[in-house]
């Protein structure tokens, strides 16, 4: 049992990203965009070795499915650079698994996407996407904390 938990603990970030990207449904998970939750969490809040490159690749795949020319990939790179150069906020020590910083990341992207094609449909879709991702951030990141506690027992 301990070997299985150890394997699951090590492979969980990669598996959950792949699963969320693969389970794309037009209303609930358009183009697998929910995969940005574990990409953000495991790249910035609980950094894992080599996960930033994995996250960058999946941002590119999300862009490919959305038909956006490197939008989320660029957002990820900008946020990664800002995180690397700043020393005021340590994202690893922020409460609520850095939910508000994630909301800033997703909100900035949705804001730019809203004004790239300003229609009521686009506005409502981006508001829905922002709210849905902010709500799902807590349970998805809590699964990691639960797995961490179970692996220690």
């Amino acid at each position: 049992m301990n070997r299985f938990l150890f394997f699951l603990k090590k492979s969980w970030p990669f598996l959950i990203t792949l699963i969320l990207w693969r389970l794309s449904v037009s209303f609930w998970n358009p183009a697998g965009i929910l995969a940005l939750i574990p990409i953000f969490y495991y790249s910035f809040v609980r950094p894992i070795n080599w996960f930033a490159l994995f996250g960058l690749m999946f941002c590119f795949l999300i862009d490919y499915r959305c038909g956006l020319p490197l939008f989320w990939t660029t957002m990820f790179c900008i946020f990664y650079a800002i995180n690397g150069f700043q020393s005021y906020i340590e994202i690893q020590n922020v409460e609520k698994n850095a939910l508000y910083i994630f909301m800033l990341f997703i909100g900035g992207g949705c804001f730019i996407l809203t004004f790239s094609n300003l229609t009521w449909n686009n506005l409502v879709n981006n508001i829905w996407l922002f709210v849905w991702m902010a709500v799902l951030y807590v349970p998805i990141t809590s699964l990691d904390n639960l797995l961490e506690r179970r692996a220690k027992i």
Side-chain angles (χ1 to χ4, degrees):
M1 185 66 170
N2 287 338
R3 293 182 114 194
F4 175 72
L5 286 176
F6 179 75
F7 170 76
L8 191 59
K9 179 181 168 188
K10 292 295 183 184
S11 63
W12 176 252
F14 302 97
L15 289 175
I16 192 68
T17 304
L18 183 63
I19 289 168
L20 286 174
W21 178 74
R22 251 333 252 160
L23 293 175
S24 66
V25 179
S26 63
F27 182 72
W28 299 104
N29 187 11
I33 200 153
L34 289 180
L36 287 174
I37 295 171
I39 289 171
F40 177 85
Y41 185 71
Y42 293 111
S43 295
F44 301 116
V45 181
R46 295 192 67 193
I48 295 175
N49 293 337
W50 298 102
F51 193 82
L53 291 175
F54 185 77
L56 188 66
M57 180 183 70
F58 269 88
C59 285
F60 177 76
L61 291 173
I62 290 169
D63 286 336
Y64 179 74
R65 274 192 176 173
C66 287
L68 300 170
L70 300 176
F71 178 75
W72 288 110
T73 307
T74 305
M75 288 291 292
F76 178 80
C77 290
I78 289 170
F79 210 80
Y80 196 81
I82 290 170
N83 184 43
F85 287 122
Q86 62 87 23
S87 62
Y88 181 67
I89 299 172
E90 293 181 13
I91 295 179
Q92 292 87 4
N93 298 328
V94 176
E95 59 187 31
K96 296 182 183 177
N97 290 333
L99 172 65
Y100 300 128
I101 298 172
F102 176 72
M103 289 170 67
L104 179 71
F105 173 68
I106 294 299
C110 288
F111 183 76
I112 293 169
L113 285 176
T114 299
F115 288 105
S116 67
N117 182 17
L118 192 57
T119 62
W120 284 109
N121 189 26
N122 192 21
L123 177 69
V124 171
N125 283 338
N126 283 320
I127 290 172
W128 159 250
L129 188 64
F130 172 74
V131 170
W132 183 237
M133 289 181 74
V135 167
L136 287 180
Y137 183 79
V138 174
I140 290 174
T141 58
S142 296
L143 285 173
D144 179 63
N145 295 334
L146 178 70
L147 185 62
E148 184 72 29
R149 282 183 291 193
R150 293 290 288 167
K152 287 182 181 179
I153 296 177

